[in-house]
Amino acid sequence: MRDHRLFIWIIILLSTGLLGEVKITPFGGDFRFSLGIMAFFFGLLWFSVPVLGTGISAGIFVVLFRIAMGGLLHGIPLHEGFVQHMPVFFYYVTFAVVISLLKIKTNVEYHLKVAFFGAFADMASNGAELLIRMASGEASNVTSHEMMLIVLVGLLRSFFAVGLCNMLAIRQVRALGEQRRLELERLMMINADLFEEAFYLRKSMSHIEEITRESYRLYKSLKNQSYPDAAQALHIAEHVHEIKKDSERILSGLFKIIQQERMLSKRITVSDLCAMVERANANYSLLLGKNVEIDARCDINLSTDEIYPLLSVLNNIVSNAVEAIPHEGQIQIQVDLHDNSILFTVTDNGPGILADELELIFHPGFTTKFDAEGNSSTGIGLSHAADIVRLLGGDISVCSSPGRTSFEIRISVERLTEREGVEHAEILSG
């Protein structure tokens, strides 16, 4: 941290000294208008540096720098260079004192106020330098027109420095906003995956509950028949019941995570949601080394609070299309209003689905995807997507031919847009 501050301090001094050589001499003497003060003022506004300490060090550095430049380039003797440039020290010290007294550092959010205060500090510093030069015997004839020039230059230099700070601050805020947006989208995609897993777990729990009941009935039947291994059936029922309780605890934890994250954005426009799916799967295609162009088109101005169910459904379908396309291709997500329903259409130009497989793709466990080692995928993605669509009161269909596969999801507008108070618990509870 100390090295970082030292580096900033050195940068401020060097930029002030170097830009101080970009100058004009309006009164014909050694007094100059330069760009050095803009670099100095910008450094005070943008970085956390001590104002007075930096002003004193800048004054000393600029005087020494100009003496050295005069000696090396023009052969000016050391004592003459000191007399010529010594008043500049008081310019930077006066500027720092005025900035400190006006407490500009604590009012940086008031941009116009800071700009005018900076201009006042510039004028006061120019006045101090002129007085020192006159006191040291340098002839000076400052007219009213030249005073107006000092005022104008002070305003220009101050507003330029403040404007540059504002431009950089706006860029920084935009970059942070973009980073925040990407992070929020990443969290929402993770939550969509968690929602899908919670939905699957809830379905499994209903089967576990049925197995528990059947095991207990078997125990009672075997006990009534005095079967010697009846206790084993009871033991199985007890263990299955424990598994059910563990599953309920896991489901509760997943649901809490989903609900906490859902508070970040209770509603989202359908257009933004589709754009999220587009961006996520474009990145997925790059990860797979494929060139897949994904285009989301949504002209309807509606928003929904069913974020994670829709993300889960659309992401499953689009990611399957990305995986099905061999090397390069196109996927289009189209959203339209049809009667009282929202119609999501996902179309790709992949190899297509065989006719005898169309009726099976929504069945749990059915898959046509295998990894490099020949292991099949779980085959539950489209099954979950279909179940979620049905529980949203909609329907899903698919038609396919070589070079074109199209999924259609139809859900009522009322279900997606007028149920802001409905929690995902309705879907998870079945």
Side-chain angles (χ1 to χ4, degrees):
M1 180 64 71
R2 184 176 179 180
D3 292 341
H4 179 66
R5 289 180 178 176
L6 178 62
F7 176 75
I8 290 173
W9 180 74
I10 292 173
I11 290 296
I12 292 174
L13 296 187
L14 285 175
S15 59
T16 301
L18 291 171
L19 289 175
E21 297 306 307
V22 182
K23 64 182 187 290
I24 59 172
T25 53
F27 309 142
D30 294 321
F31 181 83
R32 67 175 70 176
F33 290 138
S34 74
L35 301 182
I37 190 59
M38 290 193 294
F40 179 71
F41 190 29
F42 174 82
L44 293 183
L45 292 175
W46 190 257
F47 300 108
S48 297
V49 292
V51 176
L52 290 177
T54 306
I56 293 170
S57 58
I60 295 172
F61 178 81
V62 171
V63 170
L64 296 177
F65 183 79
R66 291 183 183 178
I67 291 173
M69 290 288 291
L72 292 172
L73 298 179
H74 307 290
I76 299 174
L78 186 64
H79 68 280
E80 288 186 18
F82 178 78
V83 172
Q84 181 182 355
H85 299 298
M86 177 269 297
V88 179
F89 170 79
F90 295 94
Y91 175 88
Y92 283 97
V93 171
T94 302
F95 190 92
V97 169
V98 175
I99 291 294
S100 181
L101 290 175
L102 293 177
K103 302 185 184 302
I104 286 181
K105 297 275 284 184
T106 60
N107 292 279
V108 289
E109 67 273 17
Y110 304 108
H111 310 304
L112 196 61
K113 181 179 179 182
V114 169
F116 279 114
F117 280 0
F120 176 75
D122 194 335
M123 299 171 207
S125 302
N126 279 321
E129 182 181 347
L130 285 171
L131 288 174
I132 296 297
R133 290 190 181 279
M134 286 189 290
S136 63
E138 183 177 325
S140 179
N141 183 23
V142 182
T143 66
S144 60
H145 290 87
E146 289 166 343
M147 289 298 298
M148 289 298 297
L149 181 62
I150 290 175
V151 172
L152 179 61
V153 170
L155 288 169
L156 288 175
R157 292 194 293 197
S158 178
F159 272 81
F160 181 86
V162 173
L164 182 60
C165 280
N166 290 341
M167 286 173 58
L168 293 177
I170 289 171
R171 288 188 62 182
Q172 191 176 58
V173 168
R174 285 178 177 173
L176 290 173
E178 179 66 12
Q179 183 179 357
R180 169 65 176 166
R181 183 188 65 79
L182 293 174
E183 182 65 17
L184 183 58
E185 285 190 6
R186 187 183 70 85
L187 291 175
M188 292 177 74
M189 285 296 181
I190 291 173
N191 259 26
D193 291 339
L194 290 176
F195 175 86
E196 187 174 336
E197 296 301 326
F199 178 75
Y200 176 69
L201 181 59
R202 184 64 188 87
K203 286 180 63 179
S204 299
M205 284 172 59
S206 63
H207 295 303
I208 292 172
E209 189 172 356
E210 183 63 27
I211 292 171
T212 303
R213 285 196 296 267
E214 291 298 325
S215 298
Y216 188 71
R217 290 194 193 101
L218 177 61
Y219 159 71
K220 289 179 67 176
S221 175
L222 294 176
K223 185 179 179 182
N224 290 336
Q225 298 174 21
S226 300
Y227 194 78
D229 292 329
Q232 186 175 358
L234 179 61
H235 185 66
I236 293 172
E238 290 171 347
H239 276 284
V240 173
H241 183 66
E242 288 298 318
I243 293 172
K244 179 194 171 187
K245 290 196 296 184
D246 290 340
S247 299
E248 287 176 340
R249 283 192 289 269
I250 294 171
L251 181 63
S252 176
L254 287 174
F255 186 65
K256 285 179 181 178
I257 294 172
I258 294 170
Q259 287 302 103
Q260 287 171 0
E261 204 61 47
R262 186 171 180 261
M263 295 302 292
L264 293 175
S265 178
K266 286 190 175 182
R267 292 183 74 82
I268 187 173
T269 64
V270 176
S271 177
D272 286 343
L273 188 141
C274 291
M276 285 175 55
V277 174
E278 176 187 345
R279 285 189 291 269
N281 285 281
N283 292 332
Y284 182 47
S285 70
L286 293 176
L287 182 66
L288 297 179
K290 299 180 179 182
N291 180 23
V292 180
E293 180 183 342
I294 304 176
D295 181 25
R297 299 179 183 178
C298 176
D299 297 325
I300 63 174
N301 186 24
L302 295 173
S303 60
T304 179
D305 62 334
E306 298 292 2
I307 301 171
Y308 301 127
L310 285 179
L311 276 178
S312 180
V313 171
L314 292 175
N315 215 35
N316 258 309
I317 294 172
V318 177
S319 63
N320 278 349
V322 170
E323 292 167 357
I325 292 173
H327 301 293
E328 61 180 21
Q330 292 86 38
I331 300 173
Q332 185 179 72
I333 306 168
Q334 180 73 40
V335 186
D336 299 296
L337 283 177
H338 192 272
D339 296 332
N340 294 319
S341 298
I342 300 178
L343 180 64
F344 299 87
T345 306
V346 179
T347 306
D348 69 80
N349 64 345
I353 304 170
L354 297 176
D356 56 353
E357 293 177 348
L358 283 175
E359 298 296 325
L360 301 174
I361 60 172
F362 296 119
H363 290 194
F366 178 80
T367 183
T368 59
K369 294 183 293 184
F370 298 86
D371 60 21
E373 287 74 30
N375 300 313
S376 65
S377 67
T378 59
I380 58 175
L382 289 178
S383 168
H384 289 349
D387 286 341
I388 292 172
V389 170
R390 282 193 288 269
L391 287 170
L392 285 172
D395 59 78
I396 182 171
S397 61
V398 59
C399 60
S400 182
S401 60
R404 179 181 173 84
T405 299
S406 181
F407 283 84
E408 288 190 355
I409 302 113
R410 190 185 303 268
I411 304 173
S412 72
V413 173
E414 181 181 3
R415 180 65 178 87
L416 291 183
T417 62
E418 297 181 3
R419 293 172 61 86
E420 186 169 357
V422 176
E423 301 296 337
H424 293 310
E426 284 192 14
I427 295 180
L428 295 179
S429 64

